[in-house]
Amino acid sequence: MIRIPCPFCGPRDHAEFSYGGDGSITYPALDAPLEAWHDAVFLRENICGRQVETWQHVHGCRLWLKVERDTMSHEIYSVTPADPALAKVLEGGE
Amino acid sequence: MTARRLDQGGRIDRATPLTFRWDGKELTGYAGDTLASALMANGERVLGRSFKYHRPRGIMSAGVEESGAIVSVGQGARQGPNVKATMQELYEGLEARGQNAWPNVRRDLGAVNGLFGRFLAAGFYYKTFMGVPLFEWGRGTGLWMKYETLIRKAAGMGRASREADPDQYDHAHAFCDVLVVGGGPAGLRAALTAAEAGRDVILVEQDFELGGDLLNDPAGEAERGALVRSVERAGVRVMTRTTAFGLYDMGVAGLVERVSDHLSAPAAYLPRQRFWTVRAGATVLATGALERSVAFGGNDRPGVMTANSGRSYLNRYGILPGERIVVATTNDSAYVTAGELAAAGAEVTIAEARNAPGCELPAGVTLRTGVAPLEAEGRSKLCALRLARPNGAGWQAAGREACDLLLVSGGWSPVVNLASHRGVKPEWDAELACFLAGDCDEPVYMAGSAAGVWTREACEISGVEVAMRAMGLASNPPAAGGWAAPIRPLYEVRLPGRKAKAFVDPQHDVTCSDVRLAHQEGFVSVEHLKRYTTLGMATDQGKMGNIIGLALMAEALGKEIPGVGTTRFRPPYTPVAIGALAGRNVHGHFKPLRRTPLHDWNLRQGATMTDAGLWHRPWYFAGPGETLGDAYVREAATVRQTVGICDVSSLGKIAVQGPDAAEFLNRVYTNGFAKLAIGKARYGIMLRDDGMVMDDGTTWRIGEADFLMTTTTTNAGRVMVWLEELLQLRWPELKVHVTSVTDQWAGVSVAGPKSRAVVAACLRDPDSVSHETLPFMGVAPVVLRDGTEGLIARISFSGELAFELYVPGNYGEAMMEQLWTAAARHEGCLYGLEALGTLRIEKGHVTGAELDGRVTIRDAGLGGMASTKKPYIGKVLQERPELQRPDRPRLVGILPKDRSKTFNGGALLCKPGALSGFGEGWVTAVTHSPALGHWIGLGYISGGHNQWVGQLAIAADPVRGEPVEVEIVSPHMFDPEGVRMHG
């Protein structure tokens, strides 16, 4: 019932998407130390309010998206493609 | 009550009589009747028996809050229990029966429960569901389990049919600018206003007619008719017999439209009901208000109803519901009802709780002021009402009125349920003695009586103004209220020391003393009160009794009602058939079926299919007279002796292409892929970020920048999503494309000593699969004799000499025909998943049963594949200390000590004498092995087989069987050197 505005396909029902995870994580280099990987994989904030998440438009264009959503009201503040090059292309209206 | 149908009046169609059956007795009603009104007109008084005490119950209302006339309707597979007779439209041939009674509702042996009332108070099961002391001390409660089945039979409501639902249900979607819930005066005006302003409007009404309370007023018909016609002309989409049962995120409303529940012979193409998902720009809730009763002794007796429902039976259904009527009221709304009943010929007395009425006394009505109902007398037929008058803080007896019908108006409660679904908090209005909906962040607006507006004129203005507000325009809705004189808040009347059952929630048999008991036992939160007493948890969701319960709780706590708080209403507003929610997604349509290109071919060959995720795959190919057990053993033996062919098209296939494809695979797999030569395949394992094994498969290098990755059938989708995530989120700089090609290729495995001969016979160039041209793990393009181009890989899951042959999907059957013809010359066989499993278990090759998401690559015995030379996903966390412990479970083979025995997949492996807890490991797979001649298995055990040399373990599965002694061995139980597939 939540609507997510896919940058490529337009506003769609959330049933077309699959939830990924925490979009604020930057994963370390593959050979980074154990502590860095532990924190990135296991530590999460439990946010009441705005948070950045990843979603994939699995029943549409298969874009991975960074979505800023309010966990209390489900309001969606922004949706951008996770891939910066794709984000740039779509922003330019190409 | 002594009800009778009047010769004139009502909205029923007297030209259309209908025949129906009640408990087997044939009765007559009219089109436009509800089941309740038809039963009332026929003098049926006792229509049900209460949940716990089996007290006789009759009609209590004329609407959706009904808590007494709860019956079963329909026959056989269509039998529906717990139908509110007040909401069931009468149709020709309707069959209805009383429920929760034996032999029938009029004379019910279950009434004996009433004698044990003292022991059946709220929460009685918490105090009795224990072992009998001394006999059962410390050993649980065996005796209770025996008499619990008796209690189960005595409690409960209707019985559901055990047959499959024969009806169809549809799903539908709609969009609108304004959704108006409720077709009374406020709703009609709101819909009309929005439609005339050019908005797209949907008007939803649960009743079969529009009008709301206008339907109860004979003088209101002209206006009602005109209003309804205007609404239709303005282009409003009107949906009657439709309940908006819930409001959800972002303006979504769930509706259930009852398409054929009122038809005696619905057309076969009609669904029974439709479940609508409506997306509305704004929602106006013109849901009205429900009248509530008062808690007094015997307030559940047949013959006690809410006041306005008396008006409804008179003016909608043309029934005089009683001859001697007492109207007990706390507010002005009941006076017009009293007057109309008197004019229709009844003797009417008003018992006014206030010292003076707020409005004119109608003609023919007797008035007593300053009195309230104390106790209704008569068992299944009301005969009198004892009254009480205030005495300081309490009450004292004030005489008695003979009557056969008691109409009670304790006040009005705006229906705020749908707003509550959106988190709107109800706010108590002390002057009106009701809850009003607080503010809402979303575009959801209350109009009319749902907003506490009481008079019809003000409701219509409210509808107009709220519609303006919903459209974002300036508006000035009327204030709540509208009675000439205020209501006297009244919730309970009782004399101290006098024991009489006063019901707060009639459906769940919750009494005033239950509420006080809950408080006494420390359940002082309203959330606990609800759940401990079950008040408000029946099919009416507390529509009749919530306010009274709160008032009693407030009194016990020494607080005011707002201080007690409220529980949250949740959808559905009224019960919804599960079938409506399922729609057409039932039976074979419950989930999609994925078929390989060889699906029909396999079936023609006699395959028995099994589910592998959404796929159907051949399980076994039974020969004449063969069981599953016979078939798979024969198939596996044939593969090892000569040759077998298996459809492996369902495996996930992903094309990984681009200049950085090799680098990408190298990061994803634990073993090296960067230097994989063109024309070679490699078995790979990929881990999750946390170091656990995610999936395994083989990846083939077809070109410099062109790889074909295979995954397990079940993880294909998951791996695809994972690769896309890595490429878009973490490594967008890599030049790689991934494409799902699972459905594009048909693939078969040809395995066994004669496999090369069989494959070569089908190729243009038979030499292309010789041992020198195509070594073990080689990959090459290949051309079939009929010219079809495909790919061949010499890879083996079975441990035999084997090839996997892939052609484009549409050519799959043709390829299979050629291979099967060639295999028949070698007395080969087709084999399915079961035999495939046997072969791989014998070899100790892992599948998803072993790679279950809880094990590391080392646990699975594949630690040699974990490269030390390059970084890859999951490498760092798989090296964390806990995952390096030597006693971690390791993959092992399992043999029964007594070779004639077997054991179960899922059994726990334990030390002898220590059959407890999680044991030392578990069994993942079991098969009868033709190669070894007895049952074998795979599993995990702490430390691996080197720690169990000379030591037996026990395979324990207490749920399904006896423990079995087993030997723990290397998982590679057959041809451990792999001679057969390398040759």
Side-chain angles (χ1 to χ4, degrees), chain A residues 1-3 13 27 30-34 37-38 41-42 54 56 58 62-66 73-76 82-84 86, chain B residues 175 248-250 252 277 279 667 689-690 717 720-721 724-725 727-732 871-877 880-881:
Chain A
M1 278 137 312
I2 303 171
R3 278 175 141 172
D13 187 85
Y27 285 88
L30 288 176
D31 55 5
L34 179 63
W37 272 103
H38 168 271
V41 170
F42 293 112
T54 59
Q56 186 185 22
V58 290
R62 308 283 298 188
L63 265 185
W64 271 97
L65 305 167
K66 289 245 172 125
S73 67
H74 292 314
E75 187 174 344
I76 292 189
D83 183 327
L86 289 172
Chain B
F175 297 79
Y248 301 90
D249 297 320
M250 297 202 171
V252 170
T277 304
R279 291 186 179 277
R667 296 185 194 182
D689 281 323
D690 68 353
M720 185 71 191
V721 162
E724 288 171 321
E725 181 181 347
L727 287 171
Q728 292 182 42
L729 265 151
R730 295 199 206 174
W731 307 318
Y872 54 85
I873 291 273
K875 176 179 195 189
V876 170
L877 279 174
R880 53 193 150 111

Side-chain angles (χ1 to χ4, degrees), chain B residues 48 87 89 170 254 353 463 529 636 663 674 684 716 722 904:
Chain B
M87 299 305 288
E89 281 179 75
D170 274 342
L529 164 70
E663 168 61 22
W722 174 234
N904 291 329

Side-chain angles (χ1 to χ4, degrees), chain B residues 282-368:
Chain B
T283 305
V284 173
L285 300 179
T287 43
L290 293 175
E291 193 168 32
R292 55 175 188 266
S293 185
V294 174
F296 55 90
N299 63 341
D300 67 323
R301 296 206 190 290
V304 181
M305 295 199 314
T306 49
N308 206 52
S309 51
R311 192 176 189 218
S312 192
Y313 287 108
L314 177 66
N315 293 323
R316 258 190 106 168
Y317 305 105
I319 298 171
L320 189 62
E323 303 287 351
R324 283 196 76 175
I325 306 178
V326 171
V327 179
T329 185
T330 60
N331 63 85
D332 294 342
S333 68
Y335 281 73
V336 65
T337 303
E340 288 174 354
L341 290 167
E347 236 183 87
V348 182
T349 303
I350 292 184
E352 169 63 80
R354 298 169 292 182
N355 292 327
C359 53
E360 228 182 276
L361 186 68
V365 175
T366 314
L367 176 67
R368 288 189 59 177

Side-chain angles (χ1 to χ4, degrees), chain B residues 339-402:
Chain B
E340 288 174 354
L341 290 167
E347 236 183 87
V348 182
T349 303
I350 292 184
E352 169 63 80
R354 298 169 292 182
N355 292 327
C359 53
E360 228 182 276
L361 186 68
V365 175
T366 314
L367 176 67
R368 288 189 59 177
T369 57
V371 287
L374 174 65
E375 189 173 341
E377 292 184 338
R379 187 165 160 70
S380 57
K381 183 184 163 76
L382 179 72
C383 61
L385 174 67
R386 286 187 179 276
L387 296 162
R389 74 171 67 256
N391 178 10
W395 299 86
Q396 69 183 52
R400 193 174 174 273
E401 286 283 339

